[in-house]
Amino acid sequence: MRLARVEEVDRVFGHLELEVLKDDGEVKAFFKVTHGARFIELTVNGRLYWEVPYIASRICGACSIAHYVASIRAVEHALGLDAGEWVEDFRDAVNMVQIAQNHLVHLAFLALPDYVGVQGLSDLKSRARRLVVNSMKLNTACLKVIRLIAGRIVNPNMLGVGGLLRRPFKGPLLKAADYLRECEGLAREVVDEALTLLKVPELKDLANNCVAVKPRKIYLTTGDEILTSAGLSFKPSNYREHLEEVQPEYSNSKAVALNGAPVHVGARARYELLRNYLRDLNVPEVDLSNPFSNLIIKAAEIPYCITAAREILEDLARRTTDTIVDPLRDGGEGEGVGVVEAPRGLLIHHYIVSGKRIMNANIITPTEINARHIEVSAKALTESLISNGQPLNAGELQRKLTMLVRAYDPCLPCAVHVSVVRGRMHA
Amino acid sequence: MVRVIVNGKEVHVPEGETILTALKKAGDAVPTLCFFGHMYREASCRMCLVELSNGKLVPACAYPVSDGLEVRTDTPRVREARRTVVEFILSIHRIRCWSCPRKGGNCELLKLATAYWVEGIPMCSSCPLYGKNCLVVKGEPCLGPITLAGCSDPCPSNGSPCIGCRGPVTRKDVLEAAAQFYVSNSVELRDVLEVASMFWEGLPNYDALKASLEDAFKKALGGDAD
């Protein structure tokens, strides 16, 4: 028996469908990605290695930098290159600004209308005008910073494989830091106002199993180790031993399980696992077993990212670098995995390089990892809202399920970067 | 002083002056290429064509003003005529943008071509990388010499090679000169086609383009002089 079916969720990136059924007295939820397949992994095959980050960053327009950095790191690991600390810090700073901007768009423009009880952004503007205007200002400032230091707002192109392609100048770095300093007050104001509006519903999902990248330095920097909530830690190159990709028949994207169990990534997972790496992240009291708490931690990460990025940029302006590379070099043989914390969580790029070419690629995006956990949460949510096998209020259930999906903030164009071709799964 | 009406606006200029003076006074600029003040005013480029009230198209830099003359600078006919003029000039222009001293934002022809939607000038014309910094000179298969200009070059200005997303230049002589440039910097055809395939493989004229590129490289490798 069908309990609820959410056919199109608006205010998320892409197309999906959520269906909750009751079968043999058990509630089952299905997270169906209906977005068309995009075959990025197949496009990458056989291409020159320095081209691959450009192509891979096209997986997502919203978090292109995360894909770009993960792709670069994977190629670097495959070829045994080391970009050096300066460049790694620089990438972290750009990624953090992108995370702040991405979270802001999700929080203020996509998720918040649900909690204020309005239909969308234009209605929200009539209720919380100051918040919307400030968010837009902040969004513009973040994009300005990205353009200034990374070259372009979407799919920037100066972070090359092995180092930077253009010598970064001290002036723009300091200018970007100044912009970010101006943003800090605004960000805190926006987040405080958003948090007062954000009254998340009570919910507990049972499987609280998560993974995140262990940061190199502070919270949200890149790293080369993956932590799990079971206390396990493994190298990215061993990800296949722990993370298993399966292709559900009902979905266009794959779903990932950690040692057979559903697992979640994102802001909630980061906060749960990486608290030790925190430096002044002011998170209000949250119940981390509640999937809606993702939003609160996302909100708290916005000012943190802006401050941390500013500190990194100021530090970088003091240290100089001579790192600059010619994009086309000899290549080599090898296999590499690059991981990075994208705005939505753990992102894995895995390439096999032979000569100058990529022979095989495998990409795991946060939405794929979250896919099964969204089902777990949707099941828990439905169970809390039914009695005697009937929904207490069908409209309410539908609304809550939609809110739940938005709290996870899935990015479906990322998730469908590859799919089944003629019944055979391409890696 | 005579009275001239420029786009409906009245200006007064001394007798014997040209329409261009009136236009300057009215603040309505028209593009000029061959006009050099008192040094040269033969009206040979025809870039400054304007429309008179009787429907005639005349070059502003050479046509003398008369009392009550009505001039319009931005009509569909004028735009179409100027577009044709740019096409004519471009057709006899020896395109070697990669070695041109005016490259990097100083190319008047590129500005006009962009303004009047004429395509055919390669990316190198606006690329800020000169001399030894040029990516092709470094031996990389940058598609700048055979890609259309007009994207404000975000890739080369950030140090990464052009990947041809704006589309190819199809003029044969440009392809041949570009092939010469590639060959002299030991960039191989295979690499160029590899990079080009990402955006151009789906084009209806890709096969023809590929054939002409192959011919051009063959010719360049054969040692034919430019």
Side-chain angles (χ1 to χ4, degrees):
Chain A
M1 190 188 73
R2 182 188 288 161
L3 293 174
R5 183 173 176 210
V6 187
E7 274 190 10
E8 267 293 322
V9 182
D10 55 350
R11 283 186 268 124
V12 297
F13 296 94
H15 305 281
L16 68 90
E17 202 178 300
L18 190 66
E19 193 166 15
V20 186
L21 302 175
K22 189 159 191 187
D23 194 11
D24 291 340
E26 197 189 344
V27 177
K28 284 180 183 166
F30 297 97
F31 178 72
K32 302 176 180 180
V33 178
T34 49
H35 207 99
R38 291 177 64 221
F39 308 115
I40 299 270
E41 282 171 6
L42 302 180
T43 314
V44 161
N45 271 358
R47 308 241 41 139
L48 296 167
Y49 77 82
W50 58 263
E51 260 184 310
V52 168
Y54 301 138
I55 303 173
S57 76
R58 262 75 174 175
I59 290 176
C60 187
C63 50
S64 53
I65 291 171
H67 279 282
Y68 196 22
V69 173
S71 182
I72 287 173
R73 286 172 65 83
V75 176
E76 277 175 0
H77 288 178
L79 298 178
L81 299 172
D82 183 16
E85 209 187 340
W86 200 99
V87 178
E88 294 267 15
D89 284 354
F90 184 77
R91 289 174 189 164
D92 285 341
V94 185
N95 194 24
M96 277 184 190
V97 181
Q98 168 110 77
I99 289 177
Q101 186 260 341
N102 215 307
H103 281 4
L104 184 78
V105 170
H106 173 233
L107 184 75
F109 303 156
L110 304 183
L112 207 56
D114 285 337
Y115 300 87
V116 184
V118 290
Q119 282 296 319
L121 184 61
S122 50
D123 296 341
L124 183 67
K125 199 178 169 191
S126 59
R127 295 280 289 276
R129 190 186 157 80
R130 205 178 143 74
L131 172 73
V132 173
V133 171
N134 282 348
S135 310
M136 284 183 171
K137 271 187 201 158
L138 194 55
N139 186 18
T140 315
C142 288
L143 293 176
K144 214 166 167 184
V145 170
I146 293 175
R147 187 186 346 229
L148 197 62
I149 56 178
R152 204 156 46 175
I153 290 176
V154 179
N155 305 320
N157 45 10
M158 71 168 281
L159 316 165
V161 172
L164 300 174
L165 299 180
R166 167 163 69 78
R167 196 177 297 281
F169 300 108
K170 200 174 167 182
L173 291 179
L174 288 174
K175 204 169 160 193
D178 284 347
Y179 277 142
L180 289 173
R181 188 180 291 112
E182 285 165 22
C183 292
E184 275 171 35
L186 197 62
R188 233 168 273 125
E189 202 178 310
V190 166
V191 167
D192 286 346
E193 201 172 341
L195 283 176
T196 55
L197 294 171
L198 203 66
K199 296 279 174 286
V200 295
E202 287 295 318
L203 178 67
K204 273 201 190 313
D205 56 359
L206 301 166
N208 208 3
N209 200 4
C210 53
V211 290
V213 182
K214 184 181 172 187
R216 204 163 41 85
K217 280 182 176 169
I218 54 170
Y219 188 77
L220 268 176
T221 51
T222 50
D224 285 317
E225 206 171 333
I226 297 174
L227 296 178
T228 76
S229 54
L232 199 68
S233 80
F234 55 91
K235 287 268 162 218
S237 49
N238 300 334
Y239 77 97
R240 280 210 163 127
E241 290 170 16
H242 302 276
L243 295 170
E244 179 199 3
E245 280 184 284
V246 285
Q247 174 77 54
E249 277 182 5
Y250 50 80
S251 176
N252 273 357
S253 96
K254 289 190 225 169
V256 176
L258 174 71
N259 301 327
V263 55
H264 71 84
V265 292
R268 177 160 67 121
R270 284 198 282 264
Y271 186 59
E272 191 163 329
L273 292 171
L274 312 176
R275 276 183 227 203
N276 302 343
Y277 298 91
L278 275 182
R279 236 175 33 193
D280 38 272
L281 175 63
N282 302 318
V283 181
E285 279 294 304
V286 279
D287 174 17
L288 282 176
S289 59
N290 183 353
F292 290 102
S293 65
N294 195 22
L295 284 170
I296 296 175
I297 297 161
K298 272 193 164 191
E301 277 182 359
I302 297 171
Y304 166 81
C305 281
I306 290 178
T307 313
R310 177 191 44 89
E311 281 167 8
I312 294 175
L313 287 178
E314 279 172 352
D315 184 36
L316 289 179
R318 279 193 288 273
R319 289 144 55 191
T320 51
T321 180
D322 288 329
T323 314
I324 185 158
V325 293
D326 297 333
L328 196 68
R329 281 189 295 195
D330 298 337
E333 305 283 328
E335 191 171 345
V337 181
V339 290
V340 76
E341 276 293 332
R344 291 169 183 77
L346 171 68
L347 171 67
I348 302 175
H349 279 236
H350 174 197
Y351 302 132
I352 298 173
V353 185
S354 175
K356 283 180 187 176
R357 279 160 212 285
I358 300 285
M359 301 318 284
N360 199 351
N362 186 30
I363 299 166
I364 300 180
T365 60
T367 304
E368 277 177 78
I369 306 178
N370 273 335
R372 283 190 66 189
H373 210 270
I374 293 179
E375 291 174 355
V376 171
S377 302
K379 187 181 164 204
L381 180 69
T382 313
E383 277 168 352
S384 73
L385 287 174
I386 56 174
S387 77
N388 296 332
Q390 286 295 329
L392 294 170
N393 180 346
E396 175 73 2
L397 178 59
Q398 186 109 357
R399 195 177 69 84
K400 282 268 174 67
L401 284 174
T402 318
M403 275 166 72
L404 177 73
V405 171
R406 281 196 204 113
Y408 272 99
D409 190 22
C411 178
L412 292 324
C414 287
V416 294
H417 56 273
V418 76
S419 191
V420 176
V421 180
R422 284 197 214 102
R424 198 166 77 83
M425 200 143 68
H426 282 247
Chain B
M1 296 292 259
V2 293
R3 190 175 59 99
V4 182
I5 299 152
V6 177
N7 296 333
K9 201 165 123 190
E10 215 180 281
V11 285
H12 294 271
V13 285
E15 212 169 340
E17 284 293 332
T18 58
I19 295 178
L20 196 63
T21 320
L23 294 181
K24 270 181 191 156
K25 207 160 181 187
D28 282 337
V30 290
T32 52
L33 278 179
C34 68
F35 180 74
F36 265 99
H38 293 292
M39 284 163 69
Y40 187 88
R41 43 169 68 190
E42 299 295 318
S44 44
C45 78
R46 300 271 152 175
M47 217 35 243
C48 59
L49 286 178
V50 289
E51 192 173 346
L52 301 184
S53 54
N54 60 5
K56 259 185 156 182
L57 292 177
V58 294
C61 69
Y63 199 85
V65 289
S66 53
D67 197 35
L69 189 71
E70 269 185 50
V71 178
R72 302 199 75 82
T73 60
D74 200 20
T75 62
R77 269 191 79 205
V78 167
R79 278 200 297 278
E80 193 49 45
R82 286 198 197 135
R83 194 188 134 91
T84 314
V85 167
V86 178
E87 276 175 359
F88 276 145
I89 294 174
L90 205 58
S91 71
I92 55 157
H93 191 70
R94 188 172 163 275
I95 293 180
R96 304 287 183 275
C97 300
W98 41 90
S99 54
C100 177
R102 291 191 85 105
K103 72 178 276 193
N106 206 9
C107 176
E108 213 51 55
L109 195 52
L110 174 66
K111 282 177 198 160
L112 290 175
T114 314
Y116 292 102
W117 296 77
V118 180
E119 288 191 328
I121 301 180
M123 261 288 295
C124 293
S125 57
S126 59
C127 173
L129 301 178
Y130 299 88
K132 68 177 180 9
N133 289 330
C134 172
L135 294 168
V136 178
V137 172
K138 283 183 182 173
E140 283 162 25
C142 171
L143 292 191
I146 51 172
T147 301
L148 293 174
C151 62
S152 71
D153 39 72
C155 300
S157 55
N158 283 314
S160 61
C162 174
I163 49 177
C165 63
R166 217 177 141 80
V169 175
T170 45
R171 236 170 85 175
K172 252 195 177 129
D173 66 319
V174 181
L175 290 183
E176 279 172 12
Q180 200 93 39
F181 182 49
Y182 280 131
V183 167
S184 63
N185 291 299
S186 53
V187 178
E188 286 177 28
L189 172 66
R190 198 174 49 105
D191 291 339
V192 173
L193 286 179
E194 174 74 41
V195 181
S197 66
M198 176 152 58
F199 283 104
W200 299 356
E201 205 152 29
L203 292 178
N205 60 350
Y206 182 67
D207 288 339
L209 179 79
K210 199 173 157 190
S212 5
L213 257 181
E214 275 163 2
D215 284 351
F217 266 81
K218 221 176 272 167
K219 209 169 158 191
L221 283 170
D224 284 10
D226 180 21

Short mmCIF file of all heavy atoms in Angstrom, two decimals, chain A residues 187-224:
data_model
loop_
_atom_site.label_atom_id
_atom_site.label_comp_id
_atom_site.label_asym_id
_atom_site.label_seq_id
_atom_site.Cartn_x
_atom_site.Cartn_y
_atom_site.Cartn_z
N ALA A 187 27.53 37.91 7.60
CA ALA A 187 27.26 36.47 7.68
C ALA A 187 26.67 36.11 9.03
O ALA A 187 25.70 35.36 9.13
CB ALA A 187 28.54 35.69 7.43
N ARG A 188 27.27 36.69 10.09
CA ARG A 188 26.77 36.36 11.43
C ARG A 188 25.32 36.84 11.59
O ARG A 188 24.48 36.15 12.14
CB ARG A 188 27.69 36.97 12.48
CG ARG A 188 28.15 35.91 13.47
CD ARG A 188 29.27 36.39 14.34
NE ARG A 188 30.57 36.18 13.71
CZ ARG A 188 31.46 37.14 13.51
NH1 ARG A 188 31.22 38.37 13.88
NH2 ARG A 188 32.62 36.85 12.95
N GLU A 189 25.08 38.02 11.03
CA GLU A 189 23.73 38.58 11.12
C GLU A 189 22.71 37.68 10.40
O GLU A 189 21.66 37.34 10.94
CB GLU A 189 23.76 39.96 10.46
CG GLU A 189 22.66 40.90 10.88
CD GLU A 189 22.84 42.25 10.19
OE1 GLU A 189 23.96 42.80 10.25
OE2 GLU A 189 21.87 42.70 9.59
N VAL A 190 23.09 37.28 9.16
CA VAL A 190 22.19 36.43 8.37
C VAL A 190 21.91 35.13 9.09
O VAL A 190 20.77 34.68 9.22
CB VAL A 190 22.82 36.15 6.98
CG1 VAL A 190 22.09 35.03 6.28
CG2 VAL A 190 22.82 37.39 6.13
N VAL A 191 22.99 34.52 9.63
CA VAL A 191 22.83 33.22 10.24
C VAL A 191 22.02 33.31 11.53
O VAL A 191 21.14 32.48 11.78
CB VAL A 191 24.22 32.60 10.48
CG1 VAL A 191 24.13 31.40 11.39
CG2 VAL A 191 24.84 32.22 9.17
N ASP A 192 22.25 34.36 12.32
CA ASP A 192 21.47 34.52 13.54
C ASP A 192 19.99 34.65 13.22
O ASP A 192 19.15 34.03 13.86
CB ASP A 192 21.95 35.75 14.32
CG ASP A 192 23.28 35.50 14.99
OD1 ASP A 192 23.67 34.31 15.04
OD2 ASP A 192 23.94 36.47 15.41
N GLU A 193 19.71 35.45 12.20
CA GLU A 193 18.31 35.64 11.84
C GLU A 193 17.70 34.34 11.30
O GLU A 193 16.57 33.99 11.62
CB GLU A 193 18.21 36.76 10.80
CG GLU A 193 16.83 37.37 10.76
CD GLU A 193 16.79 38.60 9.87
OE1 GLU A 193 17.86 39.16 9.61
OE2 GLU A 193 15.68 38.97 9.46
N ALA A 194 18.50 33.63 10.49
CA ALA A 194 17.99 32.37 9.93
C ALA A 194 17.72 31.36 11.04
O ALA A 194 16.73 30.63 11.02
CB ALA A 194 18.97 31.82 8.92
N LEU A 195 18.64 31.32 12.03
CA LEU A 195 18.48 30.32 13.10
C LEU A 195 17.24 30.61 13.96
O LEU A 195 16.63 29.69 14.48
CB LEU A 195 19.73 30.28 13.97
CG LEU A 195 20.92 29.54 13.35
CD1 LEU A 195 22.14 29.65 14.23
CD2 LEU A 195 20.60 28.09 13.08
N THR A 196 16.88 31.90 14.13
CA THR A 196 15.66 32.17 14.89
C THR A 196 14.42 31.69 14.14
O THR A 196 13.43 31.32 14.76
CB THR A 196 15.51 33.68 15.16
OG1 THR A 196 15.57 34.36 13.92
CG2 THR A 196 16.58 34.20 16.10
N LEU A 197 14.50 31.69 12.80
CA LEU A 197 13.34 31.23 12.02
C LEU A 197 13.31 29.71 11.89
O LEU A 197 12.28 29.12 11.60
CB LEU A 197 13.38 31.85 10.62
CG LEU A 197 13.19 33.36 10.53
CD1 LEU A 197 13.47 33.84 9.13
CD2 LEU A 197 11.78 33.74 10.95
N LEU A 198 14.48 29.11 12.09
CA LEU A 198 14.63 27.69 11.77
C LEU A 198 14.22 26.84 12.97
O LEU A 198 15.05 26.56 13.83
CB LEU A 198 16.09 27.45 11.39
CG LEU A 198 16.43 26.25 10.54
CD1 LEU A 198 15.84 26.41 9.16
CD2 LEU A 198 17.94 26.14 10.42
N LYS A 199 12.96 26.48 13.05
CA LYS A 199 12.51 25.58 14.13
C LYS A 199 12.35 24.20 13.52
O LYS A 199 11.36 23.91 12.87
CB LYS A 199 11.18 26.07 14.69
CG LYS A 199 11.26 27.44 15.36
CD LYS A 199 11.81 27.32 16.78
CE LYS A 199 12.04 28.69 17.39
NZ LYS A 199 13.23 29.39 16.87
N VAL A 200 13.36 23.35 13.75
CA VAL A 200 13.35 22.07 13.04
C VAL A 200 12.42 21.08 13.76
O VAL A 200 12.32 21.09 14.98
CB VAL A 200 14.77 21.48 12.91
CG1 VAL A 200 15.61 22.37 12.06
CG2 VAL A 200 15.39 21.24 14.26
N PRO A 201 11.72 20.22 12.99
CA PRO A 201 10.84 19.23 13.60
C PRO A 201 11.65 18.17 14.34
O PRO A 201 12.82 17.92 14.00
CB PRO A 201 10.11 18.62 12.42
CG PRO A 201 10.53 19.36 11.22
CD PRO A 201 11.73 20.15 11.54
N GLU A 202 11.03 17.56 15.33
CA GLU A 202 11.69 16.48 16.08
C GLU A 202 11.65 15.21 15.24
O GLU A 202 10.63 14.87 14.65
CB GLU A 202 10.94 16.23 17.39
CG GLU A 202 11.15 17.29 18.43
CD GLU A 202 12.60 17.36 18.90
OE1 GLU A 202 13.18 16.28 19.10
OE2 GLU A 202 13.13 18.47 19.03
N LEU A 203 12.79 14.54 15.17
CA LEU A 203 12.83 13.25 14.47
C LEU A 203 14.10 12.54 14.87
O LEU A 203 15.13 13.18 15.10
CB LEU A 203 12.80 13.48 12.95
CG LEU A 203 12.88 12.24 12.06
CD1 LEU A 203 11.64 11.40 12.22
CD2 LEU A 203 13.06 12.63 10.61
N LYS A 204 14.02 11.22 14.98
CA LYS A 204 15.24 10.44 15.22
C LYS A 204 15.34 9.40 14.12
O LYS A 204 14.40 8.63 13.92
CB LYS A 204 15.16 9.76 16.59
CG LYS A 204 15.64 10.63 17.72
CD LYS A 204 16.02 9.77 18.89
CE LYS A 204 16.28 10.57 20.14
NZ LYS A 204 17.15 11.73 19.98
N ASP A 205 16.46 9.41 13.38
CA ASP A 205 16.62 8.27 12.47
C ASP A 205 17.60 7.31 13.11
O ASP A 205 18.54 7.70 13.80
CB ASP A 205 17.03 8.71 11.06
CG ASP A 205 18.27 9.54 11.02
OD1 ASP A 205 18.82 9.82 12.09
OD2 ASP A 205 18.69 9.92 9.92
N LEU A 206 17.34 6.01 12.90
CA LEU A 206 18.00 5.02 13.75
C LEU A 206 19.47 4.82 13.40
O LEU A 206 20.33 4.84 14.26
CB LEU A 206 17.22 3.70 13.65
CG LEU A 206 15.78 3.88 14.11
CD1 LEU A 206 14.94 2.71 13.72
CD2 LEU A 206 15.73 4.12 15.60
N ALA A 207 19.72 4.66 12.10
CA ALA A 207 21.10 4.35 11.74
C ALA A 207 21.90 5.64 11.69
O ALA A 207 21.83 6.38 10.71
CB ALA A 207 21.11 3.66 10.38
N ASN A 208 22.63 5.93 12.71
CA ASN A 208 23.42 7.15 12.71
C ASN A 208 24.86 6.82 12.37
O ASN A 208 25.73 6.75 13.21
CB ASN A 208 23.31 7.86 14.05
CG ASN A 208 23.51 9.33 13.88
OD1 ASN A 208 23.68 9.80 12.76
ND2 ASN A 208 23.51 10.05 14.97
N ASN A 209 25.06 6.59 11.10
CA ASN A 209 26.32 6.07 10.61
C ASN A 209 26.86 7.10 9.62
O ASN A 209 26.16 7.45 8.68
CB ASN A 209 26.00 4.75 9.89
CG ASN A 209 27.20 3.88 9.76
OD1 ASN A 209 28.26 4.23 10.26
ND2 ASN A 209 27.05 2.78 9.07
N CYS A 210 28.07 7.62 9.84
CA CYS A 210 28.50 8.68 8.93
C CYS A 210 30.00 8.61 8.63
O CYS A 210 30.76 7.95 9.34
CB CYS A 210 28.13 10.05 9.49
SG CYS A 210 28.70 10.33 11.14
N VAL A 211 30.40 9.28 7.57
CA VAL A 211 31.82 9.37 7.21
C VAL A 211 32.15 10.81 6.86
O VAL A 211 31.29 11.58 6.46
CB VAL A 211 32.20 8.47 6.00
CG1 VAL A 211 32.16 7.03 6.36
CG2 VAL A 211 31.31 8.75 4.81
N ALA A 212 33.44 11.14 7.03
CA ALA A 212 33.91 12.47 6.67
C ALA A 212 35.41 12.40 6.44
O ALA A 212 36.08 11.47 6.90
CB ALA A 212 33.58 13.48 7.76
N VAL A 213 35.94 13.39 5.75
CA VAL A 213 37.39 13.43 5.50
C VAL A 213 38.08 14.01 6.72
O VAL A 213 37.68 15.05 7.24
CB VAL A 213 37.70 14.33 4.28
CG1 VAL A 213 39.18 14.32 4.00
CG2 VAL A 213 36.94 13.89 3.08
N LYS A 214 39.14 13.32 7.17
CA LYS A 214 39.92 13.84 8.29
C LYS A 214 40.74 15.02 7.78
O LYS A 214 41.52 14.88 6.85
CB LYS A 214 40.84 12.74 8.82
CG LYS A 214 41.61 13.15 10.03
CD LYS A 214 42.52 12.01 10.46
CE LYS A 214 43.44 12.47 11.55
NZ LYS A 214 44.43 11.43 11.86
N PRO A 215 40.55 16.21 8.36
CA PRO A 215 41.22 17.38 7.79
C PRO A 215 42.72 17.39 8.06
O PRO A 215 43.20 16.84 9.05
CB PRO A 215 40.53 18.55 8.46
CG PRO A 215 39.82 18.01 9.60
CD PRO A 215 39.68 16.53 9.48
N ARG A 216 43.41 18.01 7.13
CA ARG A 216 44.87 18.14 7.23
C ARG A 216 45.23 19.08 8.37
O ARG A 216 46.16 18.85 9.12
CB ARG A 216 45.34 18.73 5.90
CG ARG A 216 46.72 18.51 5.47
CD ARG A 216 46.81 18.81 3.97
NE ARG A 216 46.05 19.99 3.58
CZ ARG A 216 46.53 21.23 3.66
NH1 ARG A 216 47.73 21.46 4.09
NH2 ARG A 216 45.79 22.25 3.27
N LYS A 217 44.48 20.20 8.46
CA LYS A 217 44.79 21.18 9.49
C LYS A 217 43.58 21.42 10.37
O LYS A 217 43.45 20.82 11.42
CB LYS A 217 45.22 22.49 8.83
CG LYS A 217 46.66 22.46 8.37
CD LYS A 217 47.00 23.81 7.79
CE LYS A 217 48.47 23.86 7.39
NZ LYS A 217 48.73 25.06 6.59
N ILE A 218 42.72 22.33 9.92
CA ILE A 218 41.53 22.63 10.71
C ILE A 218 40.31 22.05 10.01
O ILE A 218 40.40 21.54 8.90
CB ILE A 218 41.36 24.16 10.91
CG1 ILE A 218 41.36 24.87 9.58
CG2 ILE A 218 42.44 24.70 11.82
CD1 ILE A 218 40.97 26.32 9.66
N TYR A 219 39.18 22.15 10.70
CA TYR A 219 37.89 21.71 10.18
C TYR A 219 37.70 22.18 8.74
O TYR A 219 37.93 23.34 8.42
CB TYR A 219 36.83 22.33 11.10
CG TYR A 219 35.41 21.88 10.91
CD1 TYR A 219 34.99 20.66 11.40
CD2 TYR A 219 34.50 22.70 10.28
CE1 TYR A 219 33.67 20.28 11.26
CE2 TYR A 219 33.18 22.32 10.13
CZ TYR A 219 32.78 21.10 10.62
OH TYR A 219 31.48 20.72 10.48
N LEU A 220 37.29 21.26 7.87
CA LEU A 220 36.94 21.56 6.48
C LEU A 220 38.12 21.78 5.54
O LEU A 220 37.93 22.26 4.43
CB LEU A 220 36.01 22.79 6.39
CG LEU A 220 34.54 22.46 6.41
CD1 LEU A 220 33.72 23.73 6.42
CD2 LEU A 220 34.17 21.63 5.21
N THR A 221 39.34 21.45 5.98
CA THR A 221 40.42 21.45 5.00
C THR A 221 40.50 20.06 4.39
O THR A 221 39.94 19.11 4.92
CB THR A 221 41.77 21.81 5.63
OG1 THR A 221 41.95 20.98 6.77
CG2 THR A 221 41.80 23.26 6.05
N THR A 222 41.20 19.96 3.26
CA THR A 222 41.31 18.66 2.60
C THR A 222 42.20 17.74 3.43
O THR A 222 42.94 18.19 4.30
CB THR A 222 41.94 18.80 1.21
OG1 THR A 222 43.13 19.57 1.37
CG2 THR A 222 41.01 19.45 0.25
N GLY A 223 42.13 16.46 3.13
CA GLY A 223 42.96 15.53 3.88
C GLY A 223 43.09 14.23 3.13
O GLY A 223 42.53 14.06 2.05
N ASP A 224 43.85 13.32 3.69
CA ASP A 224 44.07 12.05 3.02
C ASP A 224 43.71 10.88 3.93
O ASP A 224 44.44 9.90 4.01
CB ASP A 224 45.51 11.95 2.53
CG ASP A 224 45.70 12.83 1.30
OD1 ASP A 224 44.82 12.80 0.44
OD2 ASP A 224 46.69 13.55 1.25
#
